[in-house]
Amino acid sequence: MTDKTYLFQYLLRLADDHLILSQRLGEWCGEAPTLEEDLALANIALDLIGQSRSIYSYAADVENKGRDEDHLAFVRVERDYRNALIAEQPNGDFAHTIARQFFVSAFMVPFWREMESSNDLMLAAIAAKASKEVAYHLRHASEWVIRLGDGTEESRERMIEALDDLFIFTGEMFEVDETVEAMIRSGVCTDPSSLMGEWLQTVQSVIAQATLEMPDTGFMQTGGRMGRHTEHLGHILSELQYMQRTYPGQVW
């Protein structure tokens, strides 16, 4: 593949991660435990959808085949999505949603910070804005991990279960394959595996403050970057893509 093709595939991964995770958080609208949290989750979802729009729009320009951000987001089939599996995991209870957001945000903070130095000026500009947003995402999720973990007996048990259930999906964020290697060589992105130390330090620190223990697992689920997804993604897309597939080509 050419560098342009690698860049397009890399951009799709980033955009898909943010789109699918924002869709998951959007499912809490009107359903969150408190009004304040309803607004907080909705705002985080809006941040993520804004980031995905910027990346999809850039990806469409790189591909240069007449597709726009809406086509990339709403018309592709399930196997064409390249999001990490953790993004598509069900909301479950509130603890599961917080654990998922915590693991992802703890990665995205150093990721976007490093991307600000990318030699791809468009991605560097996106990263400069995203860095400010994900700092809040991590702070919000961390506070809830601590509050639930060091709260009641029930909240503690739910937080433990959530962390154990979702930790198995975190390894995919650090994987380096042919596409990522090409982007590292060209200076577009940093090696995600180099962020593992900082991510672990953040996760361990917050979990310790929550008076919990780190999940214990050596096996990690993978496959999302290759289009191999859990059954959950199809259900997300059936809602996400409904309007565009029912009324093809419609615009606001």
Side-chain angles (χ1 to χ4, degrees), residues 105 153 189 222 225 247:
S105 298
E153 182 178 347
C189 73
T222 187
R225 299 306 191 199
Y247 305 100

Side-chain angles (χ1 to χ4, degrees), residues 99-148:
R100 183 187 61 209
Q101 192 62 42
F102 170 59
F103 284 142
V104 173
S105 298
F107 172 79
M108 296 311 300
V109 165
F111 173 81
W112 281 125
R113 184 193 66 226
E114 293 299 317
M115 289 297 288
E116 290 185 62
S117 300
S118 171
N119 64 12
D120 186 303
L121 298 182
M122 181 62 73
L123 276 176
I126 294 172
K129 181 175 184 294
S131 289
K132 300 179 179 66
E133 295 169 338
V134 295
Y136 164 70
H137 301 174
L138 178 58
R139 183 170 69 252
H140 172 268
S142 298
E143 290 172 354
W144 271 112
V145 170
I146 296 169
R147 186 182 304 180
L148 295 175

Side-chain angles (χ1 to χ4, degrees), residues 163-201:
L163 293 171
D164 287 343
D165 288 348
L166 290 164
F167 192 77
I168 198 172
F169 295 101
T170 59
E172 194 171 25
M173 296 186 293
F174 304 94
E175 290 179 349
V176 176
D177 62 4
E178 183 180 355
T179 296
V180 176
E181 286 179 349
M183 294 297 93
I184 294 172
R185 287 196 304 270
S186 60
V188 170
C189 73
T190 190
D191 183 343
S193 65
S194 69
L195 307 178
M196 173 68 82
E198 181 175 346
W199 179 84
L200 271 176
Q201 185 176 15

Side-chain angles (χ1 to χ4, degrees), residues 148-163:
L148 295 175
D150 196 26
T152 66
E153 182 178 347
E154 181 177 359
S155 72
R156 181 180 179 84
E157 290 178 355
R158 292 193 179 209
M159 196 72 247
I160 291 172
E161 181 181 357
L163 293 171

Side-chain angles (χ1 to χ4, degrees), residues 9 39 43 67 178 196 200 236:
Q9 291 297 326
L39 295 173
N43 281 327
R67 296 197 290 182
E178 183 180 355
M196 173 68 82
L200 271 176
I236 297 174

